[in-house]
Amino acid sequence: MILYGRARSEKAFSAWISEAAFAAGLPPKSSPDGVRKAAYRRLAQAGCSALEIMSITGHTDIREIERYCREAARKKLAVAAMTKLEVGFDIRLPNPPDELGNSEDNSLKSLLADERPET
């Protein structure tokens, strides 16, 4: 990062990012590395491809960015799978109505009565 025509030192850059993170309401110990990685994660969660993220971050090796994309995809797939499971339960396994089994002419009760030994 350039300040007044000169490049900042690594230490000055880290301090500048930490101050900006604090001013943005992030936790006090937010490091530039943590803020940077959080940005990768948010870009991946927003649906950006690895190449799109690399165009922002300046990475030349796709492997690290693909890791963030895989993690974001894994979370989306988990949500999709649980949604399918919930929909499946709603369709195939409905809860019985409250009145089920409460009537006097219940066929299950009559079957059970036929199987009981007489006393």
Side-chain angles (χ1 to χ4, degrees):
M1 188 64 149
I2 305 236
L3 175 67
Y4 305 115
R6 295 185 314 241
R8 294 180 192 229
S9 69
E10 187 176 327
K11 187 175 181 179
F13 180 73
S14 291
W16 178 70
I17 292 292
S18 295
E19 290 169 13
F22 180 76
L26 297 176
K29 300 275 184 179
S30 296
S31 70
D33 191 48
V35 172
R36 179 176 52 85
K37 288 182 178 187
Y40 302 164
R41 187 175 55 253
R42 293 196 60 192
L43 287 165
Q45 289 170 343
C48 294
S49 71
L51 293 174
E52 289 172 324
I53 296 169
M54 288 174 66
S55 72
I56 294 169
T57 65
H59 279 84
T60 55
D61 187 348
I62 198 167
R63 289 178 290 185
E64 181 181 357
I65 301 302
E66 282 180 332
R67 185 168 45 95
Y68 291 96
C69 292
R70 277 192 306 273
E71 183 62 31
R74 186 178 299 123
K75 288 181 181 179
K76 287 180 182 179
L77 289 170
V79 169
M82 292 307 293
T83 301
K84 288 177 184 177
L85 181 64
E86 289 172 5
V87 169
F89 270 70
D90 289 343
I91 293 171
R92 286 181 243 130
L93 301 173
N95 290 332
D98 291 335
E99 65 275 358
L100 185 65
N102 291 334
S103 108
E104 290 300 320
D105 62 338
N106 187 316
S107 58
L108 182 58
K109 285 182 184 176
S110 62
L111 286 174
L112 290 175
D114 291 343
E115 293 179 7
R116 290 186 188 145
E118 292 185 33
T119 56

